[in-house]
PDB file of all heavy atoms in Angstrom:
ATOM      1  N   LEU M 208      82.371 -16.370 -52.128  1.00 94.00           N
ATOM      2  CA  LEU M 208      83.496 -16.888 -52.815  1.00 94.00           C
ATOM      3  C   LEU M 208      84.744 -16.416 -52.070  1.00 94.00           C
ATOM      4  O   LEU M 208      84.899 -15.213 -51.809  1.00 94.00           O
ATOM      5  CB  LEU M 208      83.545 -16.425 -54.262  1.00 94.00           C
ATOM      6  CG  LEU M 208      84.828 -16.682 -55.043  1.00 94.00           C
ATOM      7  CD1 LEU M 208      84.980 -18.206 -55.253  1.00 94.00           C
ATOM      8  CD2 LEU M 208      84.858 -15.972 -56.382  1.00 94.00           C
ATOM      9  N   THR M 209      85.634 -17.301 -51.753  1.00 93.00           N
ATOM     10  CA  THR M 209      86.927 -16.960 -51.159  1.00 93.00           C
ATOM     11  C   THR M 209      88.041 -17.207 -52.205  1.00 93.00           C
ATOM     12  O   THR M 209      88.109 -18.296 -52.756  1.00 93.00           O
ATOM     13  CB  THR M 209      87.174 -17.807 -49.876  1.00 93.00           C
ATOM     14  OG1 THR M 209      86.125 -17.528 -48.929  1.00 93.00           O
ATOM     15  CG2 THR M 209      88.525 -17.430 -49.248  1.00 93.00           C
ATOM     16  N   TYR M 210      88.817 -16.187 -52.403  1.00 89.00           N
ATOM     17  CA  TYR M 210      89.891 -16.310 -53.431  1.00 89.00           C
ATOM     18  C   TYR M 210      91.178 -15.715 -52.871  1.00 89.00           C
ATOM     19  O   TYR M 210      91.174 -14.921 -51.904  1.00 89.00           O
ATOM     20  CB  TYR M 210      89.479 -15.630 -54.754  1.00 89.00           C
ATOM     21  CG  TYR M 210      89.352 -14.127 -54.646  1.00 89.00           C
ATOM     22  CD1 TYR M 210      90.398 -13.318 -55.089  1.00 89.00           C
ATOM     23  CD2 TYR M 210      88.198 -13.547 -54.121  1.00 89.00           C
ATOM     24  CE1 TYR M 210      90.285 -11.937 -55.019  1.00 89.00           C
ATOM     25  CE2 TYR M 210      88.102 -12.179 -54.045  1.00 89.00           C
ATOM     26  CZ  TYR M 210      89.135 -11.352 -54.507  1.00 89.00           C
ATOM     27  OH  TYR M 210      89.050 -10.003 -54.433  1.00 89.00           O
ATOM     28  N   THR M 211      92.277 -16.095 -53.518  1.00 85.00           N
ATOM     29  CA  THR M 211      93.581 -15.564 -53.107  1.00 85.00           C
ATOM     30  C   THR M 211      93.858 -14.295 -53.846  1.00 85.00           C
ATOM     31  O   THR M 211      93.798 -14.215 -55.046  1.00 85.00           O
ATOM     32  CB  THR M 211      94.683 -16.619 -53.410  1.00 85.00           C
ATOM     33  OG1 THR M 211      94.381 -17.834 -52.718  1.00 85.00           O
ATOM     34  CG2 THR M 211      96.041 -16.115 -52.967  1.00 85.00           C
ATOM     35  N   ALA M 212      94.241 -13.255 -53.076  1.00 75.00           N
ATOM     36  CA  ALA M 212      94.444 -11.931 -53.693  1.00 75.00           C
ATOM     37  C   ALA M 212      95.732 -11.289 -53.185  1.00 75.00           C
ATOM     38  O   ALA M 212      95.779 -10.104 -52.977  1.00 75.00           O
ATOM     39  CB  ALA M 212      93.228 -11.076 -53.398  1.00 75.00           C
ATOM     40  N   GLY M 213      96.749 -12.062 -52.947  1.00 68.00           N
ATOM     41  CA  GLY M 213      97.994 -11.464 -52.507  1.00 68.00           C
ATOM     42  C   GLY M 213      97.953 -11.206 -50.996  1.00 68.00           C
ATOM     43  O   GLY M 213      97.923 -12.068 -50.170  1.00 68.00           O
ATOM     44  N   VAL M 214      97.941  -9.916 -50.688  1.00 66.00           N
ATOM     45  CA  VAL M 214      97.905  -9.456 -49.256  1.00 66.00           C
ATOM     46  C   VAL M 214      96.631  -8.680 -49.027  1.00 66.00           C
ATOM     47  O   VAL M 214      96.430  -7.646 -49.654  1.00 66.00           O
ATOM     48  CB  VAL M 214      99.130  -8.625 -48.865  1.00 66.00           C
ATOM     49  CG1 VAL M 214      99.079  -8.200 -47.417  1.00 66.00           C
ATOM     50  CG2 VAL M 214     100.379  -9.357 -49.164  1.00 66.00           C
ATOM     51  N   PRO M 215      95.719  -9.109 -48.139  1.00 68.00           N
ATOM     52  CA  PRO M 215      95.810 -10.375 -47.363  1.00 68.00           C
ATOM     53  C   PRO M 215      95.703 -11.552 -48.307  1.00 68.00           C
ATOM     54  O   PRO M 215      95.260 -11.454 -49.438  1.00 68.00           O
ATOM     55  CB  PRO M 215      94.622 -10.318 -46.442  1.00 68.00           C
ATOM     56  CG  PRO M 215      93.613  -9.458 -47.159  1.00 68.00           C
ATOM     57  CD  PRO M 215      94.405  -8.415 -47.878  1.00 68.00           C
ATOM     58  N   ALA M 216      96.107 -12.712 -47.824  1.00 77.00           N
ATOM     59  CA  ALA M 216      96.240 -13.915 -48.640  1.00 77.00           C
ATOM     60  C   ALA M 216      94.840 -14.363 -49.205  1.00 77.00           C
ATOM     61  O   ALA M 216      94.790 -14.822 -50.330  1.00 77.00           O
ATOM     62  CB  ALA M 216      96.819 -15.052 -47.850  1.00 77.00           C
ATOM     63  N   GLU M 217      93.818 -14.224 -48.440  1.00 86.00           N
ATOM     64  CA  GLU M 217      92.511 -14.657 -48.866  1.00 86.00           C
ATOM     65  C   GLU M 217      91.449 -13.547 -48.672  1.00 86.00           C
ATOM     66  O   GLU M 217      91.505 -12.806 -47.671  1.00 86.00           O
ATOM     67  CB  GLU M 217      92.052 -15.893 -48.095  1.00 86.00           C
ATOM     68  CG  GLU M 217      92.824 -17.166 -48.523  1.00 86.00           C
ATOM     69  CD  GLU M 217      92.212 -18.391 -47.898  1.00 86.00           C
ATOM     70  OE1 GLU M 217      91.490 -18.252 -46.902  1.00 86.00           O
ATOM     71  OE2 GLU M 217      92.435 -19.517 -48.415  1.00 86.00           O
ATOM     72  N   VAL M 218      90.532 -13.434 -49.604  1.00 89.00           N
ATOM     73  CA  VAL M 218      89.446 -12.484 -49.524  1.00 89.00           C
ATOM     74  C   VAL M 218      88.146 -13.224 -49.808  1.00 89.00           C
ATOM     75  O   VAL M 218      88.065 -14.068 -50.703  1.00 89.00           O
ATOM     76  CB  VAL M 218      89.612 -11.320 -50.542  1.00 89.00           C
ATOM     77  CG1 VAL M 218      88.393 -10.398 -50.531  1.00 89.00           C
ATOM     78  CG2 VAL M 218      90.870 -10.531 -50.261  1.00 89.00           C
ATOM     79  N   THR M 219      87.098 -12.938 -49.020  1.00 92.00           N
ATOM     80  CA  THR M 219      85.768 -13.521 -49.212  1.00 92.00           C
ATOM     81  C   THR M 219      84.819 -12.449 -49.671  1.00 92.00           C
ATOM     82  O   THR M 219      84.684 -11.398 -49.087  1.00 92.00           O
ATOM     83  CB  THR M 219      85.250 -14.171 -47.937  1.00 92.00           C
ATOM     84  OG1 THR M 219      86.144 -15.223 -47.537  1.00 92.00           O
ATOM     85  CG2 THR M 219      83.873 -14.744 -48.116  1.00 92.00           C
ATOM     86  N   ILE M 220      84.149 -12.732 -50.805  1.00 93.00           N
ATOM     87  CA  ILE M 220      83.133 -11.780 -51.312  1.00 93.00           C
ATOM     88  C   ILE M 220      81.756 -12.388 -51.170  1.00 93.00           C
ATOM     89  O   ILE M 220      81.565 -13.634 -51.195  1.00 93.00           O
ATOM     90  CB  ILE M 220      83.410 -11.395 -52.786  1.00 93.00           C
ATOM     91  CG1 ILE M 220      83.359 -12.662 -53.680  1.00 93.00           C
ATOM     92  CG2 ILE M 220      84.744 -10.676 -52.913  1.00 93.00           C
ATOM     93  CD1 ILE M 220      83.536 -12.330 -55.155  1.00 93.00           C
ATOM     94  N   ASP M 221      80.773 -11.515 -51.000  1.00 97.00           N
ATOM     95  CA  ASP M 221      79.394 -11.921 -50.824  1.00 97.00           C
ATOM     96  C   ASP M 221      78.662 -11.598 -52.120  1.00 97.00           C
ATOM     97  O   ASP M 221      78.568 -10.448 -52.549  1.00 97.00           O
ATOM     98  CB  ASP M 221      78.776 -11.132 -49.656  1.00 97.00           C
ATOM     99  CG  ASP M 221      77.330 -11.594 -49.355  1.00 97.00           C
ATOM    100  OD1 ASP M 221      76.690 -12.238 -50.209  1.00 97.00           O
ATOM    101  OD2 ASP M 221      76.826 -11.252 -48.228  1.00 97.00           O
ATOM    102  N   PHE M 222      78.125 -12.621 -52.803  1.00 97.00           N
ATOM    103  CA  PHE M 222      77.447 -12.408 -54.106  1.00 97.00           C
ATOM    104  C   PHE M 222      76.283 -11.434 -53.988  1.00 97.00           C
ATOM    105  O   PHE M 222      75.919 -10.787 -54.976  1.00 97.00           O
ATOM    106  CB  PHE M 222      76.971 -13.754 -54.657  1.00 97.00           C
ATOM    107  CG  PHE M 222      78.025 -14.681 -55.060  1.00 97.00           C
ATOM    108  CD1 PHE M 222      77.799 -16.063 -55.208  1.00 97.00           C
ATOM    109  CD2 PHE M 222      79.344 -14.247 -55.302  1.00 97.00           C
ATOM    110  CE1 PHE M 222      78.796 -16.953 -55.580  1.00 97.00           C
ATOM    111  CE2 PHE M 222      80.338 -15.107 -55.683  1.00 97.00           C
ATOM    112  CZ  PHE M 222      80.088 -16.465 -55.819  1.00 97.00           C
ATOM    113  N   CYS M 223      75.664 -11.352 -52.816  1.00 97.00           N
ATOM    114  CA  CYS M 223      74.529 -10.431 -52.663  1.00 97.00           C
ATOM    115  C   CYS M 223      74.945  -8.969 -52.813  1.00 97.00           C
ATOM    116  O   CYS M 223      74.083  -8.105 -52.872  1.00 97.00           O
ATOM    117  CB  CYS M 223      73.836 -10.671 -51.318  1.00 97.00           C
ATOM    118  SG  CYS M 223      72.662 -12.062 -51.344  1.00 97.00           S
TER     119      CYS M 223
END
Side-chain angles (χ1 to χ4, degrees):
L208 171 67
T209 299
Y210 67 99
T211 302
V214 180
E217 289 188 339
V218 174
T219 298
I220 60 176
D221 185 343
F222 293 161
C223 278

